[in-house]
Amino acid sequence: DGGITQSPKYLFRKEGQNVTLSCEQNLNHDAMYWYRQDPGQGLRLIYYSQIVNDFQKGDIAEGYSVSREKKESFPLTVTSAQKNPTAFYLCASSIGSGSYEQYFGPGTRLTVT
Amino acid sequence: EDQVTQSPEALRLQEGESSSLNCSYTVSGLRGLFWYRQDPGKGPEFLFTLYSAGEEKEKERLKATLTKKESFLHITAPKPEDSATYLCAVRTSWFGTDKLIFGTGTRLQVFP
């Protein structure tokens, strides 16, 4: 079955530690995205990638980093510079970066204490 | 400023009681409106894409419509399994780059 997987489902870290969230897709999609979801707010774009070895900052990129070395994979690192890292993180992909629907993974809930 | 507003924030319905969810938007250059369903603790599930005013899409008990300023998600004879948060997102062009703007969602609860 084609889809998007994110791991782990729950992640706990101490303040000051970097943490990497995994996102893999087997849909053969070119574009991939990372969003953050907080209660009472719409999804906010962190980073996106339209093609391998290329990515752009979204609206809230500060304190995050990404890489896109393979078409199938788009890991997100939450660094210690991110001031409020506790959130629900969603990875998505689409056929291209135009007016195409995005398909989401199951999400990773990160808690930093 | 581009903006997407969903109403109501929460909606409680009796099973079989039809209703509509609203998504109003002010964007410069609509390039698609998307509806998603999100269950608690899970990722959004894609439902519909609408591109132009007058367009309608249907899936089981759900029907999405689009005008120049808003979209409605009509739910006919809902069942408890339709309980979820419904998200609306609008794709617009922003300095030559496509951008997807999400609303905050409508939380729907359907009681038997």
Side-chain angles (χ1 to χ4, degrees):
Chain A
D1 285 337
I4 303 174
T5 57
Q6 291 185 244
S7 61
K9 186 172 177 64
Y10 299 97
L11 195 51
F12 298 88
R13 281 295 182 270
K14 294 290 186 183
E15 213 172 286
Q17 293 179 333
N18 291 355
V19 60
T20 297
L21 282 58
S22 168
C23 177
E24 304 277 332
Q25 56 98 0
N26 61 4
L27 300 168
N28 200 32
H29 285 175
D30 285 322
M32 296 187 75
Y33 311 82
W34 273 105
Y35 291 91
R36 169 181 173 139
Q37 188 173 36
D38 296 283
Q41 296 193 45
L43 273 68
R44 292 183 290 167
L45 182 65
I46 304 172
Y47 267 97
Y48 66 100
S49 168
Q50 297 172 305
I51 197 169
V52 175
N53 292 323
D54 186 49
F55 47 84
Q56 286 79 40
K57 293 181 179 180
D59 297 323
I60 55 166
E62 186 176 347
Y64 299 98
S65 65
V66 293
S67 63
R68 186 87 186 277
E69 297 177 1
K70 298 187 299 182
K71 187 175 184 177
E72 303 79 20
S73 179
F74 192 40
L76 172 75
T77 296
V78 184
T79 76
S80 56
Q82 168 51 229
K83 294 180 180 178
N84 295 297
T86 295
F88 189 48
Y89 290 88
L90 289 160
C91 178
S93 71
S94 63
I95 293 174
S97 58
S99 301
Y100 302 106
E101 55 269 17
Q102 295 180 12
Y103 294 90
F104 286 83
T108 292
R109 185 165 299 280
L110 172 65
T111 303
V112 177
T113 57
Chain B
E1 183 185 346
D2 293 338
Q3 197 167 3
V4 176
T5 303
Q6 292 189 246
S7 62
E9 286 187 16
L11 182 62
R12 292 164 56 100
L13 297 174
Q14 202 72 32
E15 184 173 2
E17 180 187 1
S18 302
S19 188
S20 297
L21 282 55
N22 178 263
C23 171
S24 63
Y25 59 90
T26 51
V27 298
S28 49
L30 177 71
R31 297 193 61 178
L33 186 142
F34 306 87
W35 281 99
Y36 289 87
R37 170 194 169 122
Q38 185 174 25
D39 292 301
K42 297 188 177 180
E45 173 191 347
F46 170 73
L47 293 174
F48 303 110
T49 306
L50 301 165
Y51 289 107
S52 55
E55 191 174 356
E56 298 182 352
K57 293 273 181 74
E58 281 188 72
K59 180 181 179 181
E60 295 180 354
R61 296 177 292 282
L62 300 177
K63 179 180 178 180
T65 62
L66 181 65
T67 72
K68 289 186 177 179
K69 293 185 177 181
E70 58 192 348
S71 176
F72 290 95
L73 185 65
H74 307 278
I75 303 177
T76 302
K79 298 181 178 182
E81 52 262 42
D82 294 322
S83 298
T85 295
Y86 290 86
L87 303 176
C88 166
V90 171
R91 182 170 289 282
T92 181
S93 185
W94 180 65
F95 291 100
T97 301
D98 279 357
K99 184 178 180 181
L100 199 60
I101 303 171
F102 281 84
T104 54
T106 293
R107 185 164 56 88
L108 173 66
Q109 292 178 290
V110 182
F111 295 92

